[in-house]
Amino acid sequence: MRPHEKLEVWSRAVEFVATIYKATAEFPKEEKFGLTSQIRRAAVSVPANIAEGAARQSSKEFAHFLAIAQGSASELETELLIAARLGYFETDVHKEMYNELNTIARMIVGLSQHLKRKETMENMS
């Protein structure tokens, strides 16, 4: 098992990508290269950066990739809001996606804080 596969945040983010792909499949065809593409790329970026960071040798490097994943989650939050305002999602669907994305983002922050504490402890020894 690879390091990232042990992380619940990575698993949830991968599942969320599947949710995003299904939800955006219903977008208007003219959005295929616009908002649909942007949303999907931002969604995929979250677990991809978690996985890349977990494969790194140091906590500091891992934390850097988690910061990128957090940025992608923030980008995705904005894009989902825009899609909802354009009427591409039902209100309840948008709320469910927003809540799951918020949970994933909080998990990324928690993991980042854990890594910073770990790095501090390693530097002290």
Side-chain angles (χ1 to χ4, degrees):
M1 183 175 275
R2 297 181 183 262
H4 62 274
E5 293 173 333
K6 299 173 188 172
L7 298 171
E8 182 184 351
V9 65
W10 176 81
S11 295
R12 285 184 82 149
V14 167
E15 285 299 317
F16 192 63
V17 170
T19 299
I20 290 295
Y21 266 74
K22 290 173 188 168
T24 56
E26 303 300 318
F27 280 18
K29 290 198 187 314
E30 65 266 16
E31 287 294 349
K32 182 177 181 179
F33 299 108
L35 198 53
T36 303
S37 176
Q38 284 292 114
I39 288 172
R40 288 177 173 185
R41 279 188 275 131
V44 168
S45 178
V46 176
N49 277 290
I50 294 168
E52 187 169 353
R56 298 300 172 138
Q57 298 301 313
S58 74
S59 296
K60 186 176 182 178
E61 286 180 293
F62 190 2
H64 171 73
F65 282 93
L66 289 176
I68 295 169
Q70 187 67 47
S72 294
S74 294
E75 175 186 347
L76 181 55
E77 179 183 344
T78 300
E79 292 162 354
L80 292 176
L81 176 64
I82 291 167
R85 291 207 176 152
L86 291 172
Y88 297 162
F89 294 125
E90 296 293 326
T91 304
D92 59 331
V93 171
H94 176 253
K95 186 175 181 177
E96 286 175 26
M97 287 191 296
Y98 174 84
N99 289 339
E100 180 61 13
L101 182 57
N102 190 36
T103 298
I104 291 166
R106 284 194 324 266
M107 292 173 79
I108 293 169
V109 168
L111 183 54
S112 296
Q113 290 171 344
H114 170 75
L115 290 173
K116 287 176 186 170
R117 286 190 301 271
K118 181 179 174 185
E119 184 181 349
T120 300
M121 296 302 285
E122 288 171 354
N123 290 337
M124 294 174 88
S125 49

